[in-house]
Amino acid sequence: MAVIETQGLSKVYVRDVIDTEYGRLRIRLTGRKTVALDNLNLDVNKGEIFGLLGPNGAGKTTTIKILMGIHFASSGTAKIMGKPLGDRAVKSRIGFLPENPYFYDYLKGWEFLDFYGQLYGIDKRKRRAKVEELLALVGLTHAANIPLRGYSKGMNQRIGLAQALMNDPDIVFLDEPQSGLDPLGRKEVRDLILGLRKQGKTVFFSSHILSDAEMICDRVAILFKGKLRSVGRLSELLSSSVTEWEIVLRDVDERFINRWRDRLERVVESEGEWWLISKSQDLTDAIIDAATRDGGKLSALTPRRQSLEDYFISEVKGS
Amino acid sequence: MATWAIYKRELKTYFQSPSTYIVIALIFLLMGMIFQNIMAEFSDLSMRSQQMGMWGQQQQAPNVTHMVIRGVFYVMFSLILFSIPLLSMRLLAEEKSRGTLEMIVTCPVGDWSLIMGKYLALVSVGVFMIILSSLFPLMVWYVGKPGSVPEWPIVGSLWIGLLLIFAAYSAFGLMASSMTENQMAAGVVTLIGLLLWNMMGDFQIEQFPQVNTILKEMSASQHTENFLTGVLALKDFVFYILSSFLFLFIASKTLDARRWRV
């Protein structure tokens, strides 16, 4: 069942006639329009982790801002849980972490969460318990009484995540949740997102960190210059067949390698071993047969499949 | 509940900010200096009146409420105009420039709740200032002789007038703050707007006397006169309350319109 649906969603940003650019006043009569999103059709199913991927300026944040009701779409429609955007009842069932969360930095960690709890209409007793639970979940119990201006980038991201979960949402929108985090922090966020899926929540997140997306997403959509390039399960998008083989040979001489060099993608010699990259199964078999006949030994044979990064780059380059 | 949460946070911001105390201190410093001058003049006049009485000449004794209290409050009416831009300019402009507004609008909080929470916090600062201003009539009451005590109904009328004017000016300031991300621009627009609103009754167009009447009736200063003389007129209440609602309505629509534009 689709909990997020968009149909022909488009957004054109219009700059003011009198605008400032790089600190200078600029009067602009033409070229004021920028197409940020063009005819986006998406369905996100209940309980899945959906990744919206794309390079900077692809339209990821615009999509999330439209779905959150921060911006209005220029055309097209979207629904969350079957209701039109902006529905107050739906808002109380979704959580949101913006790309660069800005907080009231004079508030302490617990005060900040408590404030959002009040905005969601949670009563005092439940709020206190929820604040404690979330601070523990994101590992900030020790910083509960520190004003947010004393938080590091990673701590800010984690308190932002806690804020997005304050109302125990059914759908969580996370805009670049791993940006600015170190590898450990990224892993914690990954684990948190996987934990949300276990609880039956839907997670819609944007990212350009493809390795993380590949690890946790059930489905992904690739946006480029405001247009949807592809959408689907990773297993559907990425070629399941092997795209290249890595052959490692020992006890073969350079003359043997030179016989095949032209047909190989790459050849590297290292510590008496030859590392060969072949794009064809037949070529791989032939090299191994010939090497064995000539007294050589096969140290390793590694078939390689397409990664999300390979697919992403081919899609973006293709457009 | 959302309005209450925003109100509490906003009020805390006001009372944690040194700028609020600086604005209030400046207002009361000026009022105190003026109070001292008027009191000196009042004592002088009272003494002269007593001396004249002793010489058998009749002269009406000066009235402490009319001369001292009304004089001090007249100054406060003017000072409020200059303090509002400083207090209101950051209300929405800061939220927009810092990006915190985005997080609030994703919560189940209507624009009206947001506007009202902030507006009521600013009006509460006004109430605090009005409570502080009661020091002046209390001082007069404490040191005054029988016959020199304040006329409390007139003082009450001045307080009500101050509150209504503060509320209307605050709504104007909030409206200006909703229109820009630049706090300074919001402050300047508020100051110029409030000055024009007060002065519009002075513009005279000879060819259109009806327009002159309308401009005069729409001028903010026109509706302060009654409060200063202790008259509570319904039309003044309606004027300030309707003006406040109009400015707050425009502020909420401006917030809404921003989602289309950006």
Side-chain angles (χ1 to χ4, degrees):
Chain A
M1 190 188 90
V3 287
I4 304 170
E5 301 161 76
T6 73
Q7 284 183 338
L9 209 61
S10 300
K11 178 70 183 177
V12 179
Y13 288 114
V14 184
R15 284 171 179 256
D16 290 334
V17 174
I18 301 170
D19 200 4
T20 50
E21 201 168 83
Y22 307 118
R24 287 184 179 179
L25 197 68
R26 184 170 170 171
I27 297 172
R28 194 192 310 260
L29 295 172
T30 56
R32 293 165 52 216
K33 292 184 176 177
T34 311
V35 179
L37 199 60
D38 187 9
N39 195 30
L40 177 71
N41 296 303
L42 269 186
D43 282 340
V44 178
N45 299 321
K46 189 175 188 300
E48 73 177 349
I49 299 176
F50 190 92
L52 192 61
L53 312 177
N56 293 335
K60 307 185 296 288
T61 298
T62 300
T63 306
I64 290 186
K65 284 189 172 178
I66 292 172
L67 292 172
M68 289 292 90
I70 297 168
H71 293 178
F72 288 149
S74 306
S75 62
T77 57
K79 285 181 179 175
I80 298 179
M81 297 175 184
K83 298 271 175 62
L85 300 180
D87 186 277
R88 195 75 67 85
V90 171
K91 276 187 173 183
S92 64
R93 293 169 63 194
I94 58 181
F96 170 56
L97 171 70
E99 184 178 2
N100 295 307
Y102 295 100
F103 306 131
Y104 306 104
D105 56 8
Y106 52 87
L107 293 180
K108 292 171 186 167
W110 77 266
E111 285 177 329
F112 171 71
L113 294 181
D114 189 68
F115 171 64
Y116 278 90
Q118 288 179 61
L119 294 185
Y120 281 107
I122 304 168
D123 70 56
K124 197 172 180 177
R125 200 172 47 82
K126 282 186 186 164
R127 229 165 47 224
R128 288 280 150 89
K130 193 72 187 170
V131 167
E132 276 181 29
E133 178 197 325
L134 288 172
L135 284 171
L137 182 74
V138 297
L140 286 174
T141 306
H142 66 284
N145 284 309
I146 298 174
L148 298 185
R149 68 169 71 94
Y151 278 32
S152 67
K153 165 88 180 161
M155 287 163 87
N156 266 319
Q157 201 74 5
R158 282 189 278 162
I159 198 82
L161 264 168
Q163 171 274 135
L165 302 175
M166 191 64 207
N167 57 328
D168 199 14
D170 294 328
I171 307 176
V172 188
F173 291 84
L174 308 171
D175 195 2
E176 302 278 3
Q178 286 141 320
S179 74
L181 296 180
D182 56 21
L184 193 66
R186 276 166 48 195
K187 186 188 176 303
E188 283 171 4
V189 172
R190 267 199 322 262
D191 292 344
L192 208 107
I193 292 173
L194 290 169
L196 293 174
R197 181 173 58 185
K198 266 189 195 163
Q199 293 171 32
K201 298 183 193 305
T202 308
V203 181
F204 183 98
F205 83 101
S206 75
S207 182
H208 58 251
I209 303 173
L210 301 175
S211 54
D212 288 337
E214 192 169 8
M215 273 188 248
I216 58 175
C217 286
D218 296 307
R219 287 199 306 142
V220 296
I222 294 179
L223 274 181
F224 186 61
K225 291 184 177 171
K227 287 195 174 183
L228 183 66
R229 300 294 310 165
S230 51
V231 60
R233 293 194 164 276
L234 283 169
S235 56
E236 293 163 5
L237 293 178
L238 306 179
S239 168
S240 58
S241 56
V242 176
T243 52
E244 59 184 28
W245 287 260
E246 185 184 276
I247 313 157
V248 185
L249 297 174
R250 276 190 290 123
D251 302 338
V252 289
D253 57 19
E254 195 163 359
R255 265 195 336 187
F256 172 83
I257 297 297
N258 286 341
R259 273 164 52 200
W260 308 95
R261 192 182 288 270
D262 293 346
R263 291 151 70 190
L264 290 165
E265 284 295 305
R266 215 168 343 134
V267 177
V268 177
E269 189 193 6
S270 171
E271 295 175 3
E273 287 186 329
W274 289 90
W275 296 61
L276 317 175
I277 303 292
S278 156
K279 284 273 183 192
S280 131
Q281 170 93 64
D282 292 343
L283 178 63
T284 305
D285 292 344
I287 291 171
I288 294 168
D289 283 349
T292 316
R293 274 200 309 273
D294 287 7
K297 288 197 173 76
L298 178 68
S299 293
L301 175 64
T302 314
R304 283 189 182 164
R305 290 182 169 78
Q306 190 183 28
S307 69
L308 180 58
E309 191 165 328
D310 299 330
Y311 178 76
F312 180 83
I313 290 168
S314 70
E315 278 292 315
V316 169
K317 272 190 178 168
S319 56
Chain B
M1 193 166 189
T3 306
W4 177 238
I6 291 165
Y7 168 79
K8 278 193 297 180
R9 191 189 54 74
E10 207 60 52
L11 201 61
K12 192 175 172 185
T13 311
Y14 271 122
F15 286 104
Q16 280 186 345
S17 161
S19 60
T20 309
Y21 294 104
I22 292 170
V23 169
I24 294 174
L26 278 175
I27 287 177
F28 281 90
L29 180 73
L30 283 168
M31 282 177 69
M33 284 161 64
I34 286 158
F35 177 73
Q36 192 192 13
N37 282 343
I38 300 176
M39 272 303 268
E41 203 179 323
F42 175 78
S43 303
D44 194 34
L45 270 176
S46 300
M47 216 177 290
R48 229 182 292 164
S49 151
Q50 276 179 352
Q51 283 171 352
M52 301 276 257
M54 282 164 65
W55 286 97
Q57 291 177 346
Q58 286 297 320
Q59 185 170 346
Q60 198 179 358
N63 182 304
V64 73
T65 307
H66 288 205
M67 191 173 164
V68 180
I69 295 173
R70 196 192 291 167
V72 172
F73 274 76
Y74 185 80
V75 173
M76 193 170 177
F77 274 77
S78 312
L79 289 176
I80 280 176
L81 189 148
F82 294 98
S83 67
I84 288 290
L86 296 168
L87 293 169
S88 68
M89 63 185 191
R90 55 154 209 89
L91 277 174
L92 284 163
E94 188 185 38
E95 295 261 15
K96 285 199 278 185
S97 65
R98 290 178 63 172
T100 46
L101 188 65
E102 289 190 353
M103 289 179 72
I104 290 185
V105 298
T106 59
C107 297
V109 177
D111 287 345
W112 196 246
S113 294
L114 174 67
I115 297 271
M116 284 311 285
K118 287 178 172 284
Y119 173 67
L120 292 175
L122 179 52
V123 171
S124 298
V125 175
V127 171
F128 177 70
M129 284 164 67
I130 291 165
I131 291 170
L132 281 185
S133 76
S134 62
L135 277 174
F136 298 108
L138 284 175
M139 271 193 276
V140 170
W141 170 76
Y142 186 71
V143 298
K145 299 166 188 160
S148 288
V149 291
E151 292 170 39
W152 290 108
I154 293 181
V155 175
S157 147
L158 289 166
W159 277 333
I160 292 169
L162 271 177
L163 181 63
L164 285 169
I165 289 162
F166 195 96
Y169 288 2
S170 299
F172 190 93
L174 189 66
M175 177 184 73
S177 188
S178 72
M179 292 173 173
T180 174
E181 289 185 4
N182 188 319
Q183 290 187 48
M184 198 57 81
V188 171
V189 167
T190 306
L191 182 63
I192 293 172
L194 290 179
L195 283 171
L196 285 175
W197 193 23
N198 274 277
M199 286 158 52
M200 65 197 289
D202 300 331
F203 300 131
Q204 295 293 315
I205 308 166
E206 281 182 23
Q207 291 86 348
F208 305 105
Q210 294 92 337
V211 174
N212 293 340
T213 314
I214 293 170
L215 284 176
K216 205 171 176 186
E217 282 304 315
M218 284 172 66
S219 159
S221 58
Q222 174 72 13
H223 294 270
T224 57
E225 298 295 329
N226 282 335
F227 293 116
L228 284 167
T229 51
V231 176
L232 295 178
L234 182 66
K235 68 166 188 163
D236 300 325
F237 278 80
V238 171
F239 176 78
Y240 283 118
I241 291 169
L242 278 185
S243 302
S244 302
F245 270 105
L246 176 69
F247 296 141
L248 294 176
F249 177 75
I250 295 171
S252 76
K253 290 295 154 198
T254 308
L255 275 190
D256 201 30
R258 189 172 175 265
R259 294 177 195 160
W260 286 110
R261 206 164 48 82
V262 290

